[in-house]
């Protein structure tokens, strides 16, 4: 299903006047403050987020899964759904595949389809946390860290295969997240597990094509509930340094213990040139994979403030990879992702409004109250007209959720795919 640009334009008609009024107002205010509004709008347009192929259907928890009608059953239908999101938001120009959940059959057809939606392939994700069908080995007790050489080798070979698949599609990075760990004290030897993991990652790293990057994703717990081998940013950072200059740390916002200062982690990684990218989501307790900005929007703003500072002052850190990693239990997956994209763009736009010079002066003067005033002046600015402008300039919808509903996208997907189609993935 393809959303026609003309249909989007038609849905924008009734909101154009109010958009022009609110954009005129904010553009005028920002220009008076010496802010280059066109520059901010262009940066928003250039900010493309990769959509996880595994989050286009209903996720579910161990307590059950409530399916959504019209879910994508194939990689082709998943790319079509990302195409629909991108048509409306103009900020979802990439898809991140998970192997083997999204093993391409016809590479040529898949690449042509993605190109027809102006979508590229971002990081590919390996999966050594589930046992492949009729596999000779099991990952029950780990993969790259496993005590058994045969299991480690099997996992290394899988990652090499995923790189080949990604390379065929034009992807330029591999994300490795390991469930490896223990659920009980004494179950594993921490040092042996870490050494094995380091050795295995190195074996994968040396097979990376020249212009590829390796993203090492950390997580404190789940599915293991006592220890995880790659449990925190420090462990990922250490492993990335040991691998080499093409290895980086991937920050999944949900992979932090409560009240962790994530913006400080982001700052530190950028200073050290080791921030590879993000899995954006939000959470109240654990790895809840909720809609971005739905629980802690100010924390997201502070993370983007650190990112904007880093992108201006840390040339040693390459341009990070922006990806969403979410799981949907009660919302329409496509609406959920559209809301996440809006929250990401909003946090980025607000961070671009922070007067970094003024902030630096206030920090030097230890004018603590003024530091907060400068940050919150930006945070309290309604930047939505800037997001609308960026979308409008590229043929997107002024109000993507309203357009998604008035164009009856979900109904059309159900008509096409039926009520009981189920997506592969989480
Ligand atoms: C682990 C994770 C990882 C993916 C998986 C789908 O919690 O965040 O990024 O492989 O979710
Ligand atoms: Mn993740």
């Amino acid at each position: 299903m393809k959303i026609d640009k003309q249909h989007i334009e038609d849905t924008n008609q009734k909101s154009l006047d109010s958009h022009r009024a609110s954009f005129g107002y904010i553009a005028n205010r920002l220009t008076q403050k010496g802010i280059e509004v066109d520059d901010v709008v262009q940066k928003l347009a250039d900010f493309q987020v990769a959509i996880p192929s595994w989050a286009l259907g209903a996720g579910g928890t161990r307590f059950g899964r409530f399916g959504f009608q019209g879910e994508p059953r194939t990689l082709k239908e998943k790319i079509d759904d990302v195409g629909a999101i991108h048509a409306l938001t103009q900020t979802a120009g990439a898809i991140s595949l998970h192997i083997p959940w999204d093993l391409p059959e016809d590479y040529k057809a898949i690449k042509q389809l993605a190109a027809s939606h102006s979508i590229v392939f971002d990081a590919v994700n390996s999966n050594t946390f589930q046992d492949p069908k009729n596999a000779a080995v099991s990952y029950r007790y780990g993969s790259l860290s496993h005590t058994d050489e045969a299991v480690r080798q099997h996992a290394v070979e899988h990652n090499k295969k995923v790189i080949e698949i990604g390379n065929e599609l034009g992807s330029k990075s591999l994300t490795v997240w390991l469930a490896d760990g223990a659920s009980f004290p004494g179950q594993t030897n921490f040092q042996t597990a870490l050494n094995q993991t380091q050795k295995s990652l190195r074996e994968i790293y040396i097979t990376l094509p020249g212009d590829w990057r390796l993203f090492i994703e950390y997580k404190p717990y789940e599915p293991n509930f006592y220890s995880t081998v790659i449990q925190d940013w420090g462990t990922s950072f250490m492993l990335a340094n040991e691998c080499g200059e093409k290895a980086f740390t991937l920050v999944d916002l949900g992979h932090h213990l409560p009240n962790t200062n994530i913006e400080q982690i982001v700052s530190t990684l950028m200073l050290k040139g080791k921030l590879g990218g993000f899995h954006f989501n939000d959470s109240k307790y654990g790895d809840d994979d909720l809609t971005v900005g739905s629980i802690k929007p100010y924390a997201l703003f502070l993370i983007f403030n650190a990112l904007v500072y880093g992108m201006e002052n840390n040339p040693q850190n390459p341009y990070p990879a922006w990806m969403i990693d979410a799981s949907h239990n009660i919302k329409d997956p496509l609406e959920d992702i559209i809301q996440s994209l809006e929250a990401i763009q909003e946090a980025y736009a607000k961070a671009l409004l922070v007067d970094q010079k003024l902030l630096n002066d206030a920090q030097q003067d230890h004018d603590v109250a003024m530091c907060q005033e400068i940050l919150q002046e930006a945070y309290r600015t309604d930047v939505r007209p800037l997001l609308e402008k960026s979308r409008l300039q590229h043929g997107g919808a002024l109000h993507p959720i309203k357009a998604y509903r008035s164009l009856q996208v979900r109904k059309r997907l159900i008509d096409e795919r039926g009520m009981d189609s189920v997506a592969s993935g989480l």
Side-chain angles (χ1 to χ4, degrees):
M1 192 208 71
K2 213 164 165 52
I3 298 182
D4 188 81
K5 268 201 180 316
Q6 188 51 51
H7 291 160
I8 295 176
E9 232 168 274
D10 299 345
T11 64
N12 287 338
Q13 285 316 312
K14 54 185 175 302
S15 314
L16 269 178
D17 294 349
S18 65
H19 162 69
R20 290 195 178 114
S22 52
F23 179 77
Y25 169 76
I26 186 69
N28 187 24
R29 273 200 49 213
L30 295 178
T31 305
Q32 280 165 3
K33 287 183 176 175
I35 291 170
E36 289 297 326
V37 174
D38 293 347
D39 178 45
V40 173
V41 170
Q42 187 53 50
K43 281 197 168 107
L44 291 173
D46 297 339
F47 194 94
Q48 295 295 318
V49 179
I51 307 302
S53 63
W54 59 91
L56 296 163
T61 71
R62 59 187 167 157
F63 301 105
R65 179 184 182 282
F66 302 94
F68 266 94
Q69 289 80 27
E71 292 188 16
R73 300 156 292 188
T74 62
L75 179 52
K76 179 189 166 310
E77 291 182 348
K78 289 182 175 186
I79 292 174
D80 281 342
D81 285 5
V82 175
I85 294 169
H86 190 44
L88 295 170
T89 65
Q90 291 300 315
T91 186
I95 185 170
S96 182
L97 300 189
H98 219 298
I99 309 295
W101 295 336
D102 308 304
L103 209 47
E105 275 132 29
D106 177 342
Y107 283 86
K108 193 157 168 293
I110 285 295
K111 287 161 83 172
Q112 276 168 350
L113 178 65
S116 74
H117 287 295
S118 313
I119 288 171
V120 298
F121 292 92
D122 203 311
V124 280
N125 299 264
S126 60
N127 178 341
T128 59
F129 51 87
Q130 294 171 328
D131 283 351
K133 282 199 196 55
N134 46 40
V137 301
S138 170
Y139 294 138
R140 179 193 295 272
Y141 300 114
S143 61
L144 298 183
S145 74
H146 203 287
T147 52
D148 182 333
E149 166 67 23
V151 178
R152 296 197 302 272
Q153 215 36 54
H154 195 276
V156 167
E157 290 314 313
H158 165 70
N159 278 278
K160 291 179 183 176
K161 183 76 189 125
V162 173
I163 292 170
E164 282 168 29
I165 292 166
N167 209 23
E168 189 70 30
L169 293 168
S171 171
K172 294 292 182 199
S173 50
L174 166 70
T175 296
V176 173
W177 167 67
L178 299 183
D180 295 32
S183 279
F184 300 93
Q187 179 185 338
T188 62
N189 176 303
F190 298 136
Q191 297 188 355
T192 310
L194 188 58
N195 279 339
Q196 298 293 15
T197 302
Q198 177 62 69
K199 195 164 145 298
S200 301
L201 282 172
R202 183 79 192 142
E203 282 177 46
I204 296 166
Y205 179 85
I206 56 179
T207 71
L208 280 179
D211 58 354
W212 269 56
R213 293 186 286 171
L214 171 63
F215 297 151
I216 302 173
E217 184 176 1
Y218 58 90
K219 184 174 181 178
Y221 70 94
E222 189 203 39
N224 279 297
F225 296 103
Y226 168 64
S227 84
T228 297
V229 177
I230 310 181
Q231 61 165 330
D232 60 10
W233 76 270
T235 308
S236 165
F237 177 69
M238 186 180 60
L239 291 166
N241 278 314
E242 300 255 355
C243 278
E245 63 187 16
K246 293 189 291 183
F248 300 87
T249 292
L250 187 138
V251 178
D252 184 315
L253 299 188
H255 292 184
H256 299 88
L257 299 176
N259 308 323
T260 298
N261 186 326
I262 302 175
E263 57 269 27
Q264 185 177 359
I265 294 172
V266 168
S267 265
T268 304
L269 288 170
M270 293 192 90
L271 180 62
K272 299 301 178 184
K274 280 297 184 188
L275 176 70
F278 283 86
H279 279 180
F280 291 115
N281 47 54
D282 208 339
S283 50
K284 179 103 179 116
Y285 303 104
D287 187 18
D288 310 342
D289 280 346
L290 299 175
T291 318
V292 181
S294 61
I295 307 288
K296 309 188 288 288
Y298 192 60
L300 183 69
F301 161 72
L302 294 174
I303 289 168
F304 270 91
N305 179 51
L307 277 169
V308 167
Y309 180 88
M311 289 196 275
E312 281 168 15
N313 297 281
N314 306 138
Q316 67 272 30
N317 198 93
Y319 186 76
W322 317 114
M323 296 169 277
I324 286 175
D325 184 357
S327 176
H328 322 286
N329 298 314
I330 52 174
K331 279 186 185 178
D332 176 319
L334 302 191
E335 289 193 349
D336 198 337
I337 291 171
I338 290 170
Q339 289 183 315
S340 284
L341 291 165
E342 181 82 3
I344 291 168
Q345 287 257 314
E346 196 178 1
Y348 183 36
K350 290 178 183 222
L352 288 169
L353 302 185
V354 172
D355 187 325
Q356 297 288 346
K357 169 89 183 54
L358 216 58
L359 180 61
N360 184 51
D361 296 347
Q363 287 166 342
Q364 296 305 319
D365 303 343
H366 304 297
D367 184 345
V368 182
M370 187 45 65
C371 292
Q372 182 172 323
E373 285 301 309
I374 294 163
L375 278 184
Q376 296 195 336
E377 169 64 22
Y379 182 71
R380 292 172 176 148
T381 304
D382 182 358
V383 294
R384 290 174 295 176
L386 305 178
L387 279 60
E388 293 166 6
K389 181 75 170 180
S390 168
R391 289 193 288 265
L392 197 60
Q393 284 178 341
H394 296 84
L398 283 170
H399 305 294
I401 291 278
K402 283 202 190 101
Y404 177 86
R405 292 187 175 193
S406 62
L407 294 169
Q408 297 189 313
V409 176
R410 179 54 58 188
K411 181 181 175 316
R412 291 164 61 187
L413 291 174
I414 293 170
D415 294 347
E416 240 181 61
R417 300 168 184 174
M419 299 289 274
D420 311 321
S421 58
V422 176
S424 65
L426 272 189

